[in-house]
Amino acid sequence: MSDIKRDMAMERLDAVMDLEARQAEAIKMLIERITHARREHPVFATDAEGAMDVIDDEFCELIQAVRDDEGQARIVDEALDVAATAMRLVMGEVKS
């Protein structure tokens, strides 16, 4: 293998490892956010429509953070709220 091909292979490997590390950190952050949300809001929603209202509210906050250019940290924070509320719906945390 030529030096150029070896360097390119190493760059791809580094990118994959970086992506895997970022993915693991994102999942960890999401789990922490879901845990926090359960403590703050034990009853997520009473039906699917209520759950969608919560998700919509969180999504609107994300849109506002992006439009107001509130910075990457705030955008990530709001995106985690959207993901956490969506995952609570996926996991069946709707209480009738």
Side-chain angles (χ1 to χ4, degrees), residues 8-48:
M8 290 174 62
M10 289 304 295
E11 286 177 14
R12 284 195 302 271
L13 182 59
D14 287 344
V16 168
M17 291 174 65
D18 185 49
L19 176 60
E20 289 175 356
R22 287 184 292 151
Q23 177 179 304
E25 182 62 23
I27 296 298
K28 178 183 170 196
M29 292 167 66
L30 178 57
I31 291 168
E32 290 170 356
R33 185 60 55 101
I34 292 168
T35 301
H36 175 76
R38 283 185 185 131
R39 279 194 304 270
E40 294 291 316
H41 308 284
V43 176
F44 166 56
T46 56
D47 58 22

Side-chain angles (χ1 to χ4, degrees), residues 38-75:
R38 283 185 185 131
R39 279 194 304 270
E40 294 291 316
H41 308 284
V43 176
F44 166 56
T46 56
D47 58 22
E49 188 171 324
M52 290 306 301
D53 288 342
V54 174
I55 294 166
D56 182 59
D57 288 345
E58 295 299 343
F59 187 67
C60 287
E61 290 177 19
L62 173 59
I63 291 170
Q64 198 64 47
V66 171
R67 287 184 177 158
D68 291 348
D69 196 24
E70 294 181 17
Q72 187 65 22
R74 177 76 173 148
I75 291 168

